[in-house]
Amino acid sequence: MGQIKSDKTIINSSVEKVYNFLSDFNNFKDLMPEQVKNWTSTEDTCSFEVSGMGQLALRIVEKVPYSKIRILPETGTKLPFTFELISHLDKINDGETSSEFIFEHEMPMMISMMASRPLQNLVDILGKKLKEHCEKPGF
């Protein structure tokens, strides 16, 4: 199984607030790159289109309070590979959280070579936008 990891990001917000934000897919629209279109979501599911790739549907399948959120493709989603997206959170202190996104996958070598840069970009954008959002005044 391959892994693509974002850098660990230090967020100036409590782990509880960051976890509560990430545990609801309705909030993820604010974290998505500009290539994502036609976003629809509930608390635990989302679907969207990625320019040049087609439709994708995801489901939050595991929530470990204040430490981990695990996301898988929705049943019936047709993809040429399997993956999961994991968000790890660690409390540094009452007002700081460490965050990391991990994309774990099993994909053929050719797909992996083509997809690794866009997937690295995705997890990096998620980390950056999460920090920006969670550090806004009033968050």
Side-chain angles (χ1 to χ4, degrees):
M1 182 167 275
Q3 282 190 342
I4 298 172
K5 295 182 177 185
S6 70
D7 290 332
K8 286 191 176 183
T9 304
I10 305 302
I11 300 170
N12 294 315
S13 189
S14 73
V15 71
E16 293 85 2
K17 284 184 178 180
V18 176
Y19 172 84
N20 288 336
F21 177 82
L22 281 177
S23 65
D24 184 346
F25 259 140
N26 291 311
N27 297 323
F28 264 70
K29 184 175 184 180
D30 296 334
L31 306 181
M32 291 292 115
E34 63 186 31
Q35 296 89 343
V36 170
K37 307 288 184 213
N38 299 321
W39 177 272
T40 60
S41 59
T42 67
E43 182 176 335
D44 291 322
T45 64
C46 71
S47 67
F48 53 93
E49 290 179 37
V50 179
S51 300
M53 289 183 55
Q55 188 76 19
L56 186 60
L58 303 174
R59 174 176 294 279
I60 296 175
V61 295
E62 181 180 16
K63 296 179 185 180
V64 179
Y66 315 123
S67 65
K68 178 180 171 183
I69 297 167
R70 195 167 143 248
I71 299 166
L72 293 173
E74 186 71 276
T75 305
T77 301
K78 295 187 186 333
L79 296 169
F81 58 90
T82 61
F83 75 89
E84 60 183 61
L85 179 63
I86 302 165
S87 172
H88 284 284
L89 302 173
D90 290 307
K91 179 179 179 176
I92 297 172
N93 59 47
D94 287 343
E96 286 185 314
T97 301
S98 173
S99 169
E100 179 180 37
F101 289 92
I102 302 171
F103 187 92
E104 293 187 349
H105 61 83
E106 284 191 31
M107 61 178 80
M109 180 68 76
M110 286 298 287
I111 293 175
S112 179
M113 288 172 25
M114 292 186 309
S116 63
R117 181 169 284 150
L119 292 171
Q120 184 67 59
N121 188 42
L122 172 65
V123 294
D124 290 343
I125 287 171
L126 290 173
K128 179 183 173 193
K129 287 190 171 188
L130 178 65
K131 178 179 176 64
E132 289 171 0
H133 185 84
C134 293
E135 291 183 350
K136 285 181 181 175
F139 176 74

